[in-house]
Amino acid sequence: MKYHLILSALTVGGLASLAGPAIAQEPFKIGISAGLTGYAATVDRAWRDGVELAAATINAKGGIKGRKVQIIVEDNRSEPQEAVTVYRKMLSSDGVGMFISGCVSAGNFAAAPILVRAEVPMVLCSILPQQPAQVKWAYTTLPPAGFEVETRLAYLKDKTQVRKIGVLHDPTPYANLQKTVAEKEAAKYGIEIVGIEQYKQDDADLSVQISKMNSAGAGAILKIGLGGTTLTAAKNIKQLGLNMLLLTSLEDLAVFRPVAEVLGDKFFFVASPSQVRDALPAGPLATEIDRFLAPWREKYGDRDPNWASRGWDGLMLTAAAIEKGGSFEGPKVRDAIEGLSGYQGTTGVYDFSPEVHQGLTINPFVLGTIVDGKVKVVQ
Amino acid sequence: MANPEPILKATGLSARYGHVEALKSVDMHVEEAELVAVLGPNGAGKSTLLRAIMGLVETGGTVHFRGKALPRHDTVAVASQGIILVPEGRGIFGPMSVAENLQLGAYRLQGGKGEYERRQARVFELFPRLKERLSQVAGSMSGGEQQMLAIGRALMADPKILLLDEPSLGLAPRVMTEILEKLRVLNEQGLPIVLVEQKAPLALKLARRAYLLSLGRIVAAIDPREVQSHDELARYYFA
Amino acid sequence: MTSLLATTLPSRFRWTDTLAWLPWIISAGIVGYAFLSGGYVVTLVVFALIYAVFVIGLNIFMGFTNQVSFGQNAFAAISGYTSAVLTTAYEWTTLPAIAVGVALAVLCAFLIGYPTLRLKGHYLAMGTLAIGLITYEISVEWSSVTQGYMGISGIPPLGIGAYEVTSDRGQLALLVVIVLILTFMSARIRTSRLGRAFFAVAGSEDAARALGVDVARYKLASFILSAACAALAGSLFVHVVGFVSPEVFGLHMVILSFTMLYVGGIGTVAGPLLGALIVSLLPDTFRAFKDYQDLAYGAVLILLLIYAPRGLAALFDRYVPAKKVGGAP
Ligand SMILES: Nc1ncnc2c1ncn2[C@@H]1O[C@H](COP(=O)(O)OP(=O)(O)OP(=O)(O)O)[C@@H](O)[C@H]1O
Ligand SMILES: [Mg+2]
């Protein structure tokens, strides 16, 4: 025990003597807990690449308030337990002062109490934690669940005769949230939900669910959830010879091309602005997207920019908040993000406030379709 | 042959493994203090007969022990009555010490430290080597020692009748003779024994009576005194 | 009693007897290092100790009794979720919540074990795998209670009454005590009448039966002990992390615990703790390898499998016949 005391005295002393002159040159360390392997890999790798691209851009301009940014990435394997470990690692071993973490919500939730204790804020790709004390330290770039649903409902109401629909979703929290919104909002658009069916991400056949909704009179399916099941649903609709529209949620454009080959003009998808840059009018949104897309395309070609652009936003809005708040201290950064409003990101305008930690409050989404291999905006 | 009450008596005993009927309506008995050999070629059903008595296989027919019917499919109850099997391949518990194997032999013994010591003393008297090896891992002993342990462990259960399934299996002739000699001693002390053996000449030296099993049936009851040569035995086998 | 004397007081001194302490010394070294250095190594070791609780149980069923269960995570989930729900939705204190959680898991183990333990070999393994998967599905689907993938957060930390253990080192110390108690119990079981019965069942069910050992009963007892440990680990996890979601008790828990059991040494007393610590820390020592981390980790596991096929602790265990003993006349 005595030995231990001496040891820690030595360490503390050593650190204190280093702290004074070193702090100006020390880069500001930002941690990413990402599911680089496991179910979240596709999304979180893109998210990470977006954050790193933003860091490179910031550093090329001299950093934040003259201080360089250093990104530290740890793989949480899409598991909550691993997430707790890597958050702790980045906090205690790397001295991370801010997190811009990926989409493994369970991992971010599990680590939230630690961040509260450490007074380090995080900007997330995933939904926010549930506890008010934890939400205080967490922000997200994720659009509210309703937006993706509303975009699709609006299209059906304005441009089609379809008034009865089915909802097909997986059991993830974000999909569940969207489903709940759909149930609540449909009536406002004069649309009736005649069937709600769940599937699992690894289901190889959805024809049972689809037939059920079809026989209930659904003319369109709102599919909520990521991955190969979208193609499965499309194939099933075709095999069953049904005359139904398929409207899926936001996803990598690469996933959609084969789906469009199956369903043609009966297939629609929610798209974020960066995915349909060329169809956008000039303006602040387009300018910000270009600022991101130029280095992105240079480095990654035509890889889908959706998740990466939100990672970019995560770091860029943090940088803006730090510039504005004037401090790198956790509590100050937290307060500064809370005061950030009207911030133009690549996905839309972020308006944070003490009550709103989910900054995108205006629906940025469009509805897209693929005609002759070309992405077209329909709404 | 006129003893009134056999200690163990199987009547119409049959056994099956799924669809395979391995034992077909066997009648056999063992009298007090008798050593009975069960002979027969590979796959004749010798092991199955012992397993059927223990209730380790699905059986038909009855087995009476000291005049009372034994429960079927309840090996623990059969063992509790003092019918103890030394299984084919010895069935010793390799990762455990010799001492622990012996303790497992006396598994049904409740309390009674004195009784435990008494039984153990009897085992050590018969197999002094086990005493030297008490803390050795059973699996690391030689084949002969393991067979001694298997028999010693059975004796720890204080058997009223001992069923032995090919104790000579895989042993050098000298060791084999030593073990069979111990069985003779035990039998002379009054312990009834059923000895399953493929090596008929060895078994016939000890046995008072023998059954010859073939294809799941008893094909002959043999009086060892009448079998004097190999030829004669061969006649039984191929009859 | 005889065996206890025989095993702890060998008649001849062998250098392997001092080696027998090595797994303990290594384990103590790792835990001690974590305690002194603090930081996230504490987190790693805390998780390792929680897993050690789980693996100690698994070892009783798989190591001592030689049965296979791929579904012990079910009991961790049952108890973990019970703890979580009782302390959040019903505002119970931690200790009674854990007690009820473990009791519920044990009850389930009894109800599941009673019929399934009559199954043999791979049927039992398949049955237990199904139990683990079903429990996972329930934790996802029964969202009114479990919150589905959203998980339950705000679970209070371990503690007795008003005294809560929130510091890292406090949690570490508490878990060390729990693991020591369970390890001691498992050592006692191993040399007890109960343990001998487990080992007899492991050796040969027929031979055990023929000696009067009630095989079905002891399999069930072993299963229940094992489930109780798994359940305790599940509850400890949710209170330490403060959060639970279905992934926590998913299939990866099964894979991880099996790795720990085999690396540490199946059937040994020190194995579960050693295996849990090493398997938890090993990937981290390769963190600098980045993308090759898994490769390095896998390579080390394969080497271990080749050079210590019965696990690390078995290298020093008295039950493993050393060559020189086997060669004795
Ligand atoms: N578990 C089992 N399942 C199916 N058939 C079995 C089983 N055990 C034995 N048999 C069959 O039952 C018959 C009798 O077998 P048993 O083991 O009793 O013969 P044995 O006389 O002891 O032979 P050995 O001298 O080779 O030990 C054989 O045909 C064998 O193939
Ligand atoms: Mg046989």
Side-chain angles (χ1 to χ4, degrees):
Chain A
M1 207 54 211
K2 236 181 212 153
Y3 174 69
H4 172 215
L5 282 179
I6 294 168
L7 243 184
S8 47
L10 280 175
T11 344
V12 169
L15 277 182
S17 62
L18 275 175
I23 208 136
Q25 292 87 11
E26 275 278 299
F28 180 53
K29 291 183 178 167
I30 292 179
I32 304 178
S33 158
L36 302 181
T37 51
Y39 74 83
T42 319
V43 175
D44 271 13
R45 281 171 183 263
W47 170 271
R48 172 201 60 187
D49 295 339
V51 175
E52 286 187 332
L53 198 64
T57 307
I58 288 171
N59 285 339
K61 296 218 176 92
I64 308 175
K65 291 192 347 120
R67 196 170 163 190
K68 291 265 156 84
V69 174
Q70 184 189 341
I71 303 293
I72 291 164
V73 189
E74 291 293 352
D75 181 10
N76 61 34
R77 295 162 192 276
S78 311
E79 300 279 355
Q81 181 191 330
E82 284 292 322
V84 172
T85 309
V86 298
Y87 267 102
R88 284 299 312 272
K89 187 245 170 199
M90 289 185 275
L91 276 177
S92 60
S93 299
D94 302 322
V96 158
M98 170 81 205
F99 285 96
I100 315 250
S101 285
C103 293
V104 182
S105 53
N108 296 329
F109 294 177
I114 300 171
L115 294 201
V116 172
R117 249 177 286 144
E119 302 200 316
V120 170
M122 56 181 171
V123 173
L124 301 176
C125 166
S126 77
I127 52 178
L128 291 167
Q130 303 298 291
Q131 304 285 310
Q134 296 167 2
V135 175
K136 196 178 159 205
W137 292 89
Y139 299 88
T140 182
T141 62
L142 188 71
F147 288 178
E148 289 191 42
V149 173
E150 286 160 6
T151 301
R152 284 176 274 183
L153 292 176
Y155 173 78
L156 289 173
K157 172 173 174 262
D158 297 346
K159 304 274 173 73
T160 72
Q161 305 300 317
V162 174
R163 291 298 174 265
K164 287 181 174 180
I165 61 166
V167 172
L168 183 63
H169 69 98
D170 72 23
T172 58
Y174 196 56
N176 263 312
L177 281 174
Q178 289 195 37
K179 177 204 74 178
T180 314
V181 172
E183 284 176 295
K184 256 192 279 174
E185 303 278 304
K188 284 190 204 153
Y189 294 83
I191 286 170
E192 187 193 346
I193 296 180
V194 292
I196 295 180
E197 297 290 332
Q198 209 185 79
Y199 68 90
K200 295 199 188 60
Q201 291 93 321
D202 52 2
D203 279 353
D205 185 85
L206 301 169
S207 45
V208 174
Q209 288 98 321
I210 292 170
S211 319
K212 252 199 209 164
M213 293 190 283
N214 183 64
S215 31
I221 293 174
L222 295 200
K223 180 173 175 296
I224 305 169
L226 301 177
T229 44
T230 301
L231 184 55
T232 309
K235 283 181 175 161
N236 290 157
I237 291 174
K238 188 159 189 196
Q239 281 156 4
L240 295 167
L242 304 177
N243 182 25
M244 288 175 107
L245 302 180
L246 179 65
L247 300 90
T248 76
S249 42
L250 194 62
E251 161 110 68
D252 215 310
L253 285 186
V255 173
F256 291 149
R257 298 201 183 270
V259 182
E261 275 166 29
V262 175
L263 281 185
D265 61 357
K266 291 199 165 56
F267 171 61
F268 301 89
F269 54 88
V270 177
S272 72
S274 64
Q275 290 176 305
V276 291
R277 162 64 188 93
D278 299 339
L280 292 179
L285 177 61
T287 309
E288 178 63 17
I289 292 175
D290 287 342
R291 193 159 79 97
F292 156 73
L293 266 187
W296 175 261
R297 288 205 170 130
E298 191 179 319
K299 196 164 178 195
Y300 297 106
D302 55 1
R303 179 173 169 203
D304 188 272
N306 171 41
W307 308 107
S309 71
R310 284 205 1 242
W312 167 283
D313 283 359
L315 181 51
M316 285 301 182
L317 71 85
T318 302
I322 294 173
E323 301 269 6
K324 208 169 126 236
S327 169
F328 290 93
E329 295 296 312
K332 298 264 173 56
V333 176
R334 193 209 78 82
D335 294 347
I337 300 177
E338 209 161 66
L340 197 68
S341 71
Y343 176 82
Q344 180 65 59
T346 60
T347 314
V349 174
Y350 293 86
D351 288 301
F352 293 106
S353 72
E355 292 75 39
V356 180
H357 279 207
Q358 188 163 22
L360 289 170
T361 51
I362 303 160
N363 194 341
F365 293 129
V366 297
L367 200 68
T369 187
I370 297 176
V371 183
D372 301 328
K374 282 224 173 61
V375 175
K376 228 183 75 187
V377 172
V378 295
Q379 170 108 5
Chain B
M1 289 305 229
N3 273 6
E5 180 75 63
I7 182 165
L8 187 82
K9 186 172 181 354
T11 319
L13 189 62
S14 63
R16 54 171 57 253
Y17 300 103
H19 297 294
V20 184
E21 189 154 53
L23 204 63
K24 295 163 193 158
S25 192
V26 163
D27 295 323
M28 60 90 73
H29 69 275
V30 182
E31 283 164 20
E32 287 287 356
E34 202 181 24
L35 196 156
V36 174
V38 178
L39 313 175
N42 281 112
K46 307 183 294 294
S47 299
T48 306
L49 171 61
L50 298 191
R51 293 167 56 78
I53 294 170
M54 294 305 294
L56 283 168
V57 278
E58 219 178 299
T59 58
T62 58
V63 181
H64 283 80
F65 180 64
R66 290 180 167 162
K68 269 197 277 183
L70 283 177
R72 306 286 66 203
H73 309 299
D74 189 353
T75 307
V76 172
V78 174
S80 304
Q81 299 209 20
I83 304 171
I84 303 296
L85 169 72
V86 178
E88 190 169 10
R90 302 167 198 129
I92 67 148
F93 304 121
M96 276 191 276
S97 68
V98 169
E100 284 167 318
N101 269 275
L102 293 179
Q103 280 166 332
L104 269 163
Y107 191 77
R108 311 289 315 177
L109 176 63
Q110 308 285 340
K113 185 142 177 83
E115 172 64 10
Y116 184 88
E117 304 276 296
R118 198 188 61 72
R119 290 184 192 178
Q120 190 171 255
R122 180 183 175 201
V123 171
F124 290 162
E125 193 185 320
L126 201 64
F127 301 115
R129 196 165 316 166
L130 292 182
K131 191 175 185 179
E132 297 161 20
R133 298 293 166 111
L134 261 186
S135 66
Q136 185 171 338
V137 178
S140 70
M141 297 200 304
S142 73
E145 288 165 343
Q146 290 191 16
Q147 188 61 61
M148 291 176 200
L149 176 58
I151 296 170
R153 187 181 65 187
L155 292 177
M156 291 301 287
D158 194 21
K160 303 291 173 277
I161 179 168
L162 196 57
L163 315 180
L164 287 141
D165 196 346
E166 298 205 42
S168 70
L169 199 73
L171 299 186
R174 190 174 53 81
V175 186
M176 205 152 63
T177 325
E178 186 185 338
I179 293 209
L180 290 179
E181 171 59 21
K182 304 289 186 186
L183 292 181
R184 197 186 55 74
V185 172
L186 281 173
N187 182 238
E188 273 171 5
Q189 289 168 0
L191 180 66
I193 293 176
V194 178
L195 176 63
V196 161
E197 262 302 343
Q198 269 200 63
K199 304 192 179 68
L202 284 176
L204 288 176
K205 267 189 221 155
L206 296 182
R208 198 158 78 89
R209 288 188 302 118
Y211 291 103
L212 181 60
L213 217 55
S214 177
L215 296 175
R217 292 180 202 283
I218 289 187
V219 292
I222 304 171
D223 185 341
R225 282 159 297 186
E226 290 171 4
V227 184
Q228 301 302 345
S229 69
H230 276 278
D231 288 355
E232 236 167 307
L233 200 64
R235 230 184 43 234
Y236 276 117
Y237 267 73
F238 301 112
Chain C
M1 208 53 222
T2 336
S3 95
L4 204 65
L5 282 179
T7 55
T8 54
L9 300 174
S11 47
R12 273 173 300 164
F13 177 82
R14 294 193 218 116
W15 65 280
T16 45
D17 293 329
T18 36
L19 271 188
W21 288 97
L22 209 55
W24 300 110
I25 294 168
I26 295 171
S27 301
I30 294 172
V31 175
Y33 169 76
F35 199 86
L36 289 179
S37 67
Y40 88 109
V41 185
V42 177
T43 312
L44 281 176
V45 172
V46 159
F47 283 142
L49 291 175
I50 293 172
Y51 262 93
V53 171
F54 187 96
V55 180
I56 286 170
L58 194 64
N59 187 40
I60 291 176
F61 192 58
M62 290 188 43
F64 293 2
T65 323
N66 195 21
Q67 307 295 307
V68 181
S69 171
F70 295 114
Q72 298 304 98
N73 58 334
F75 306 114
I78 290 167
S79 186
Y81 268 103
T82 306
S83 258
V85 170
L86 289 179
T87 51
T88 54
Y90 297 94
E91 298 184 350
W92 283 36
T93 53
T94 307
L95 224 47
I98 295 178
V100 170
V102 173
L104 199 63
V106 163
L107 180 69
C108 290
F110 178 81
L111 295 177
I112 292 164
Y114 195 77
T116 46
L117 289 174
R118 277 148 217 284
L119 303 176
K120 281 214 161 165
H122 59 278
Y123 292 110
L124 174 62
M126 296 310 290
T128 54
L129 182 65
I131 293 160
L133 294 175
I134 289 167
T135 311
Y136 184 88
E137 287 303 319
I138 292 173
S139 65
V140 172
E141 301 288 338
W142 194 16
S143 53
S144 58
V145 171
T146 65
Q147 318 287 326
Y149 279 120
M150 195 73 103
I152 300 172
S153 49
I155 304 166
L158 294 170
I160 300 165
Y163 179 73
E164 289 186 339
V165 185
T166 45
S167 80
D168 291 345
R169 290 199 172 88
Q171 288 181 341
L172 181 63
L174 184 64
L175 285 165
V176 165
V177 171
I178 292 171
V179 168
L180 280 181
I181 292 173
L182 289 176
T183 304
F184 179 73
M185 277 171 53
S186 119
R188 287 305 299 258
I189 286 174
R190 191 172 159 161
T191 49
S192 71
R193 186 167 185 266
L194 181 67
R196 285 196 295 277
F198 290 165
F199 270 86
V201 172
S204 156
E205 287 188 20
D206 280 351
R209 264 190 210 104
L211 291 170
V213 177
D214 188 339
V215 171
R217 208 170 103 204
Y218 283 104
K219 273 197 206 170
L220 188 61
S222 175
F223 189 59
I224 284 174
L225 279 173
S226 174
C229 289
L232 181 59
S235 280
L236 288 173
F237 186 96
V238 306
H239 289 295
V240 163
V241 175
F243 172 78
V244 64
S245 69
E247 299 97 319
V248 168
F249 304 118
L251 208 56
H252 96 115
M253 188 177 212
V254 178
I255 296 166
L256 204 58
S257 57
F258 269 58
T259 314
M260 290 168 173
L261 184 57
Y262 282 95
V263 165
I266 187 167
T268 65
V269 172
L273 174 59
L274 187 64
L277 285 170
I278 288 190
V279 170
S280 301
L281 293 170
L282 205 55
D284 222 74
T285 56
F286 299 127
R287 206 177 270 288
F289 287 49
K290 290 272 169 195
D291 284 350
Y292 298 102
Q293 186 183 348
D294 287 347
L295 200 70
Y297 173 59
V300 170
L301 283 189
I302 289 170
L303 285 178
L304 276 173
L305 225 69
I306 293 170
Y307 291 104
R310 309 205 31 201
L312 290 171
L315 291 177
F316 317 110
D317 195 81
R318 72 173 180 93
Y319 277 100
V320 180
K323 280 197 189 80
K324 53 176 184 168
V325 181

